[in-house]
Amino acid sequence: MRILHTSDWHLGRTLHGVDLLEHQAAHLDHLVELTRTEGVDAVVVAGDVYDRAIPPVDAVALLSDALARLAEHAHVVVTPGNHDSAVRLGFGDRVMRPGVHLRARLADVGSPVVLPPRTGDAGAPLLVYALPYLDPDAARHALAETPEGEGEGDAAPRPLARSHEAVMGAAMRRVGADLARRRAADPGVRAVVSGHAFVVGGLASESERDIRVGGVDAVPAATFGGWGVDYVALGHLHGPQRVTVPHVERAGTVRGTVARYSGSPLAFSFSEQHQRKSTALVDLARLAADPDAAVELVPAPVPRRLADVTGTLDELLGAAGEPHVDDWLRVVVTDAVRPAELYARVRARFPHALQVTHRPPRPAEREVVTAVGPGRDPLDVARDFVEHVSGHAPSDAEVAVLREAFELALAEERSA
C-alpha cells in the first residue's frame, strides 16, 4: 500500500500581510493530482490543517473542497495540530463522507483507522493510528494510567506527568497494545502512526508556534520505537526531514520504524527560504527492506521564491536586483545615509518586497534588543528583560510566576 504523508497546511495563514490562500489552493490541487496519478491508498494529514483555532470562512470552504476531491481517489486521515481547534476540526467526524476520517478525540487514541486493501487485492489491512495534538494539560488526564504493579481494581488511574514526553508515551503504549493484539491475529498488518509533536533531533524554523510546557517542548524519538510501527508521519516542524528512531526492545518486537516530517507545503518565514518543500510518498511494502528508496519526496509547487537582498539602493535598483524582481523579498539597504523615498523606490523595483530595512554600514551604537526565535526560550527573554529594567536577575519565585503566565497565555490561545 502507498500513503501520501502531508502536514502543516496552515490554511488561512498570511506571510507578512500577504494572503496565501490562492497558493495554498494550488498546492491542494497538486495533492489531488498526485493522489490520482500515483495510485495512493491513503492520504495522511498530520495536523495544523488550519492556521488558527477559528479559521476564516474561505479556508473552511477550501478544506471542505479538498477533502471531497481527495476522497474520490483515496482514504483521507486528518488529525488536528496545535494550531487547530480539535473540537471545530473534528465536529463532523461521525457524519463525514466515506473515505474521510477526522480523528480529533483523545478517547480514540489507540484505536486505528482500519483501511482494507484495494478491491481485488489479497493481503492485510493498513492500520492508521491517528493521534491528535496531545496538549499535556488536557491529555495527562484523558490518558491517565493505573500505576505499574497495581491491578485495575486496586487504584484509580493517575494523571500523567505534565510533559509532552509523558502524554506521547502513554499514547504509544495504547497504540502498541492494540497493534500487538491485531498482529497476533494477522501478522501481515501494516501500521502507521500520525502524530503532531516536536521530536528530539528535528530542526525547527522561525514559523512554528512554541509548544513548551514546563520549559520543555520535545518528545524523545525513542518514544516511537519498539512498538512494531512501520512509519511515523509527523507534523509540526516545517522543514522536511527524517528523524532517527533508535531501536528499543519492547515485548520482543524486532521491526524497525521510519519517522519523518513532511514539512509545510509553503515557506511561512524567511528562515525557510532554502528548504525544499515536498510531500512524502511512502511505499509501505518496500519500507523494511530499503527505507530510503521506499520514501519519495515529491517537490511541492513553488508559487514565489523567498530571498534576502542586501546592498546600496543603486546596486539593488541595478543589475544586482534583476534576478529577484518576482521574489518575495527581505530587503536591506546599506547606504550610509537613508535614501529619500526609500520604501516607495524599493517597492517600485520589487513589487513583492515584504520587509524593507535601512542598515548603514557603521550603525550608531544602540541598545541591543533580544528577540524571540526558534532557538531562544521565551522564558529566557523574559528573564533578560527583568534584569534589564530592574538591574538584577529575577528570583526563583519571580521565574516561576513568569513561567506560569507564559504557559497560561499559550493555553488560552490554543483553546480560543
Side-chain angles (χ1 to χ4, degrees), residues 8-175:
D8 297 275
W9 294 352
H10 289 279
L11 301 181
R13 189 164 189 148
T14 61
L15 177 66
H16 293 278
V18 175
D19 189 348
L20 296 176
L21 204 64
E22 175 186 353
H23 305 301
Q24 292 170 326
H27 179 77
L28 294 177
D29 290 342
H30 161 75
L31 287 184
V32 172
E33 182 63 12
L34 191 60
T35 301
R36 183 186 68 83
T37 58
E38 294 293 339
V40 170
D41 297 285
V43 179
V44 178
V45 188
D48 280 355
V49 177
Y50 294 129
D51 188 58
R52 52 185 183 270
I54 304 178
V57 173
D58 288 348
V60 175
L62 179 58
L63 176 63
S64 176
D65 176 70
L67 294 180
R69 291 191 294 144
L70 286 168
E72 293 176 0
H73 309 290
H75 289 275
V76 186
V77 183
V78 183
T79 53
N82 59 295
H83 278 249
D84 301 304
S85 163
V87 173
R88 291 184 176 91
L89 185 62
F91 81 98
D93 61 340
R94 297 183 185 277
V95 296
M96 191 61 64
R97 66 162 56 210
V100 176
H101 311 270
L102 294 176
R103 303 303 290 267
R105 301 191 311 145
L106 292 175
D108 292 330
V109 168
S111 176
V113 176
V114 181
L115 305 181
R118 295 184 188 182
T119 303
D121 287 356
L126 170 64
L127 309 177
V128 181
Y129 293 90
L131 310 180
Y133 170 66
L134 302 175
D135 178 79
D137 287 325
R140 64 190 294 259
H141 298 283
L143 302 180
E145 297 175 322
T146 300
E148 189 174 350
E150 298 182 12
E152 291 186 2
D154 297 332
R158 297 179 186 171
L160 303 167
R162 186 173 176 260
S163 72
H164 291 280
E165 179 179 359
V167 296
M168 185 61 78
M172 288 305 301
R173 285 190 287 276
R174 294 191 180 197
V175 169

Side-chain angles (χ1 to χ4, degrees), residues 57-303:
V57 173
D58 288 348
V60 175
L62 179 58
L63 176 63
S64 176
D65 176 70
L67 294 180
R69 291 191 294 144
L70 286 168
E72 293 176 0
H73 309 290
H75 289 275
V76 186
V77 183
V78 183
T79 53
N82 59 295
H83 278 249
D84 301 304
S85 163
V87 173
R88 291 184 176 91
L89 185 62
F91 81 98
D93 61 340
R94 297 183 185 277
V95 296
M96 191 61 64
R97 66 162 56 210
V100 176
H101 311 270
L102 294 176
R103 303 303 290 267
R105 301 191 311 145
L106 292 175
D108 292 330
V109 168
S111 176
V113 176
V114 181
L115 305 181
R118 295 184 188 182
T119 303
D121 287 356
L126 170 64
L127 309 177
V128 181
Y129 293 90
L131 310 180
Y133 170 66
L134 302 175
D135 178 79
D137 287 325
R140 64 190 294 259
H141 298 283
L143 302 180
E145 297 175 322
T146 300
E148 189 174 350
E150 298 182 12
E152 291 186 2
D154 297 332
R158 297 179 186 171
L160 303 167
R162 186 173 176 260
S163 72
H164 291 280
E165 179 179 359
V167 296
M168 185 61 78
M172 288 305 301
R173 285 190 287 276
R174 294 191 180 197
V175 169
D178 184 84
L179 178 55
R181 178 178 61 80
R182 293 174 185 270
R183 203 163 261 160
D186 186 351
V189 297
R190 298 282 183 177
V192 170
V193 166
S194 171
H196 196 89
F198 188 171
V199 178
V200 173
L203 299 176
S205 305
E206 292 177 356
S207 57
E208 295 105 4
R209 179 175 293 172
D210 195 295
I211 57 171
R212 285 180 176 86
V213 171
V216 178
D217 59 359
V219 173
T223 305
F224 300 98
W227 301 111
V229 173
D230 296 283
Y231 184 80
V232 180
L234 293 169
H236 181 57
L237 298 185
H238 292 174
Q241 55 196 287
R242 182 174 172 178
V243 175
T244 300
V245 177
H247 180 69
V248 180
E249 290 287 348
R250 305 186 203 267
T253 58
V254 296
R255 192 181 299 233
T257 298
V258 175
R260 171 173 285 282
Y261 285 97
S262 64
S264 62
L266 301 176
F268 296 126
S269 71
F270 281 96
S271 69
E272 300 174 41
Q273 63 182 279
H274 301 299
Q275 294 176 357
R276 295 189 175 184
K277 300 298 187 180
S278 60
T279 305
L281 182 61
V282 185
D283 188 335
L284 293 173
R286 302 173 61 193
L287 201 57
D290 192 345
D292 293 327
V295 180
E296 178 186 355
L297 299 183
V298 182
V302 180

